[in-house]
Amino acid sequence: MTTSTIHRSHLATRPRGGRTGLGRADGGHRVHEAAEDLCGAVFGSLRRRDQREKGLQYVRGLLATPGRKSIRNIAQQIGGPAAEQSLHHFIAGSTWDWQPIRTALSQYLEQSSPLTAWVAQPMAIPKGGEHSVGVGRQYDPHRGQMFRGQQAFGIWFTSADVVTPVGWRLYLPDDEGAAGAAGATAEFEGGERSGETYEECAVTGVLDAVREVGVPARPVLLDIQNIGTRSTMNRFADARLPVLARISPAARLLVTDPALPGHGAGTLAARDVLQNVRALRTVVEWADPLYPGQRRTSLVAAVRVMMPDPSPARRRHLTLLGEWTDARSLPSQLWVTDLARPVPVTPAVLLRMTKQARRVSASSAHSVQEVGLRDFAGRSLQGWHRHVTMASVAHAARCLSETGMPVGRDLV
């Protein structure tokens, strides 16, 4: 049975009465109503009824529990010590596969509000202790500082109405970080590999998540510092996925347009390529997701470039995009893309597409804590994946309820 079939069967037969709102007034009732319908639609891969019930309990607990969303705190909301043991087994000791739930969630959202773009962002998870998988001294590229804890990559579904995470991958920088988990050699069922680079972890996580969903190809926005390397761009080209990725100002590029400064001069730093075409900058207006209702303007320029590659067959034409918030300074944002549609892909189109990342940042700033995406306290990688999967479902339920979109059988 396909996910779509499960979804529509659920919507056609789901009873509408008998819900109990666990939050405040209509808003609390609506989010828990959305959670109940959403869990019923995406938990079809959980074969046992008790697992589906535990999943719904866990999602309800994530939405209703104040403060930290630990298993103990969630259990206190729904039944005390007995519930704690049961929920702990459901998350840390069970064998259910989280990937089909993530896939079903993405497909459900696609039916509700068609995907605009995937957005990948890092998520820092501060954590003390020595025993949780992946804990170590990490660099947070968004804040530009070191911290102790875990580093994860979230893959977010963005559409006209929806901004919510649907996929996750945990960065395991070395064997020492992975060894902290009990039975570490059996823990890598999420696809993670101890010792892979930061870039490899991020790119593999995105590609794996998008392949599983099977929706029509949409652009992937890699909102991760300096990830627009030759290796990254080649991997997305091989996967036939259009990508728009942040690039280091120092990355070396070849200008391919004979009419532009720098053509024939060999490789140049990306920031210098853009500074050489400052006279071609245009003013672009865009809506700021961080401040709803406000519109801002930036100076933007786009240059056709190529990344140097020892293999001539892999030297592909790309577009380097630069954004200036201060006309007298260096570009504040640099992106590289192989996106070729819609035609033409103007600098304005590309700039507004990059603001999907700002939408994700705006959403995560106030909602990640509300559903406990950082709050898993166990040691195992499997437990972490199951927790963030349940938290992603809770996040999607909150998002759907807040947008005023129909949920449950209203979609039919």
Side-chain angles (χ1 to χ4, degrees), residues 56-73:
L56 176 58
Q57 283 183 336
Y58 202 84
V59 170
R60 281 175 167 172
L62 289 168
L63 292 167
T65 302
R68 190 164 174 269
K69 322 294 183 178
S70 67
I71 291 177
R72 175 171 296 180
N73 290 343

Side-chain angles (χ1 to χ4, degrees), residues 13 30 51 70 118 210 231 272 295 385 388 399:
T13 60
R30 181 167 175 80
Q51 288 181 322
S70 67
W118 303 102
V210 174
S231 173
D272 294 334
R295 301 192 68 82
H385 271 291
V388 295
C399 180

